[in-house]
Amino acid sequence: MRDKTLCVKRPDISHEGFASLAVPTYRASTIVFDSAEAYAKRSQRGPDGYTYGLHGTPTSRTLEASITGLEQGLRTVLVPSGQAAITIVFLSVLMPGDTVLIPDTAYPPVAGFCENYLKPRGISYRIYDPMIGGAIAGLIDETVKLIWTESPGSTTMEIQDIPAIVAAARKRGVLTGCDNTWATPLHFKPLAFGMDFSSMALTKYLGGHSDLLMGSIAVKDIDLHRRLKATMRMIGLGVSPDDCALALRGMETMGVRLAHSGRVALDFARRIADRVPEDLVLHPALPGAPGHETWKRDFTGSSGVFSIVIPPHAEAALPDLLTAAKVFSIGASWGGTHSLLAPMTITRATKSNAHPGTILRISIGLEDQDDLWADLEPIVDLIATEPAMARTG
C-alpha cells in the first residue's frame, strides 16, 4: 500500500493478553460491513443491531444494559437529555385525539411541551393533583392513553402513590410512566411497581459530575422498546459515545455519592425543621411531608435534593445571602459533586400543597458538611425570624 493509504488504513493489532476495567469508547458515524450482502440486509439486524453510529455503538449498548439491570427492565434507550426522554415517550405512544395526564408537580418543560407542541397537533393534556392516588380513575376517559408521574415532584417534593395510579390505569388499558430522576433505581424502581416507562435524567446522579447531558427510558415490554427506537430513528436522536463513557464512569460511584448526599441532606432538613415551621421544609423523609407514608412504603432511601419555602419577609434578603455563599454554587440541575442552590418560583394549576412565592431547592454534593451548613445557616436564621413564626401562630 502507498503512503496515503497507510495514513488511513489501520493495521490489525492483537488484543490478546489485554484486559481493562474501563469500557472502551467506540466512536463511529459509519458502521462498516464484511460484505455487500451484509450491507444489503442491515435492516434485518433489528433495533439491537449495529447499522449506523447514530443508533448505537458498543459503548452506548454497555450503558443501556447497565441501566436495564438497575431498572429491572428488558431494554433501555438513551437520549440527549432527561426532557428528551419524556418527550420521546409521549411522541411514541400518543396520536391526534389522544390525551396525556401529567402531574402539577412535573418538571415545568413537560407542561410546556404539551401546551406548545402536542396541543397544536391535536394531542390533549390535563394536569392533575399529584396526591390524587387511585382517584385518578375519575380522570380517565376513552381519550386518555398515558398517565405521566414524577415522584417526588420537581422542587415541591410530593410523593405520588404509584401503585394506586398503576392499578387505575391498568383497568382501563392506559400506559403509565415515571420520571425517577430524584430517587434513581437505587431508591425506587418504577418498573417493579408496574410502570410501563421509567425515565431518568442521567445528567444528574448517574453522570454525577455536572459535565454531561443525557436521559434514559427503561421498559419491560419489547414492543414499547421498538416504538421508542422507531421514534428516535425518525427524529434522528442519538447520544455521544464519549458522554456514555462519562456516564459509565459516574455510574460506578453513584451508590456511594447518593448515600452520602442523601444522609447529609436529610440531616440538614431535620436541623432546619427544628428551627422553622416544619411545613416550610420539603423533604419526603420528614414526617408530615406530602406522601411521607407512601415514601416509607415504596422507597428504600432519599437523595440529596430537598427544598425550603422562603416566607415573604425573607425574600428580599435572600439574593444577597445566596451570592455570599462560599461553598454552594447558584445553578439549576442537581446530583453532581458540587452543591447547588436554585431559587424557584412555582406556578400551580391545582391547589394541592401550593406554596406561593419562592422555593429554594438545595442539592447536596460532596463538600464538607460543616462548610455547607455555614452557608445555609444565615438563610435558616433569616427564615426563623419572628415574622415567619407569627405566620403560623
Side-chain angles (χ1 to χ4, degrees):
M1 292 185 184
R2 293 174 175 80
D3 287 349
K4 289 181 180 178
T5 301
L6 290 174
C7 287
V8 177
K9 299 286 285 186
R10 296 287 182 257
D12 291 328
I13 300 297
S14 172
H15 288 192
E16 184 179 352
F18 176 80
S20 172
L21 294 173
V23 177
T25 303
Y26 291 96
R27 304 179 183 91
S29 54
T30 298
I31 303 294
V32 296
F33 298 80
D34 292 335
S35 67
E37 181 183 9
Y39 180 74
K41 295 181 178 179
R42 65 191 184 280
S43 62
Q44 298 177 16
R45 294 186 173 188
D48 294 324
Y50 298 110
T51 57
Y52 192 65
L54 180 69
H55 310 309
T57 74
T59 309
S60 59
R61 292 285 189 268
T62 302
L63 179 57
E64 289 170 358
S66 298
I67 294 172
T68 298
L70 273 184
E71 295 270 24
Q72 296 181 358
L74 183 66
R75 290 288 194 282
T76 294
V77 300
L78 303 173
V79 292
S81 69
Q83 172 71 355
I86 298 169
T87 60
I88 288 300
V89 170
F90 288 18
L91 292 174
S92 297
V93 303
L94 298 172
M95 297 293 288
D98 292 344
T99 298
V100 58
L101 304 181
I102 63 172
D104 204 2
T105 50
Y107 180 51
V110 176
F113 175 72
C114 291
E115 176 67 23
N116 300 313
Y117 188 89
L118 295 183
K119 186 177 176 181
R121 289 160 178 81
I123 299 173
S124 301
Y125 74 101
R126 295 202 298 273
I127 298 174
Y128 67 89
D129 182 338
M131 306 308 293
I132 196 171
I136 201 167
L139 302 181
I140 301 175
D141 59 28
E142 66 279 358
T143 70
V144 174
K145 296 298 187 289
L146 174 67
I147 299 173
W148 192 252
T149 65
E150 182 174 325
S151 188
S154 278
T155 307
T156 47
M157 301 292 153
E158 298 93 335
I159 296 291
Q160 296 190 249
D161 192 337
I162 297 299
I165 292 172
V166 167
R170 282 186 170 176
K171 287 181 179 178
R172 300 292 295 272
V174 173
L175 294 169
T176 55
C178 180
D179 183 338
N180 194 40
T181 302
W182 182 87
T184 82
L186 297 181
H187 288 325
F188 183 66
K189 299 183 189 294
L191 299 182
F193 285 81
M195 283 274 152
D196 296 293
F197 302 97
S198 176
S199 80
M200 278 191 293
L202 306 185
T203 309
K204 311 287 197 294
Y205 279 116
L206 196 140
H209 293 78
S210 306
D211 57 2
L212 67 90
L213 292 164
M214 198 182 300
S216 66
I217 312 159
V219 296
K220 296 185 78 170
D221 183 284
I222 196 64
D223 181 61
L224 292 179
H225 177 253
R226 291 192 180 106
R227 291 166 73 175
L228 292 170
K229 291 289 286 187
T231 303
M232 292 167 59
R233 282 175 180 270
M234 286 185 289
I235 296 176
L237 283 186
V239 295
S240 161
D242 295 87
D243 283 347
C244 289
L246 288 175
L248 284 163
R249 185 174 65 178
M251 189 175 186
E252 293 185 4
T253 62
M254 180 170 65
V256 178
R257 290 184 285 102
L258 192 63
H260 171 81
S261 62
R263 177 186 59 78
V264 174
L266 182 53
D267 176 61
F268 283 177
R270 286 169 173 161
R271 283 198 222 179
I272 297 169
D274 285 340
R275 296 180 55 185
V276 307
E278 63 181 37
D279 64 311
L280 298 183
V281 187
L282 310 179
H283 192 301
L286 294 181
H292 172 71
E293 293 302 318
T294 303
W295 174 83
K296 285 175 58 179
R297 183 192 69 193
D298 297 343
F299 287 65
T300 61
S302 58
S303 74
V305 180
F306 71 104
S307 300
I308 310 172
V309 179
I310 305 299
H313 80 273
E315 288 191 355
L318 180 64
D320 288 341
L321 293 180
L322 298 181
T323 303
K326 292 181 171 57
V327 181
F328 278 94
S329 297
I330 302 171
S333 196
W334 72 71
T337 59
H338 295 263
S339 296
L340 296 172
L341 298 172
M344 319 282 282
T345 300
I346 304 300
T347 301
R348 286 293 184 80
T350 69
K351 295 181 179 179
S352 173
N353 199 38
H355 294 286
T358 300
I359 296 178
L360 181 64
R361 190 174 68 196
I362 301 168
S363 172
I364 300 298
L366 301 184
E367 304 92 343
D368 185 272
Q369 183 170 345
D370 291 337
D371 288 337
L372 291 171
W373 183 251
D375 278 348
L376 285 180
E377 193 165 29
I379 298 173
V380 177
D381 289 341
L382 176 67
I383 297 172
T385 54
E386 186 61 27
M389 296 301 186
R391 183 183 64 80
T392 61

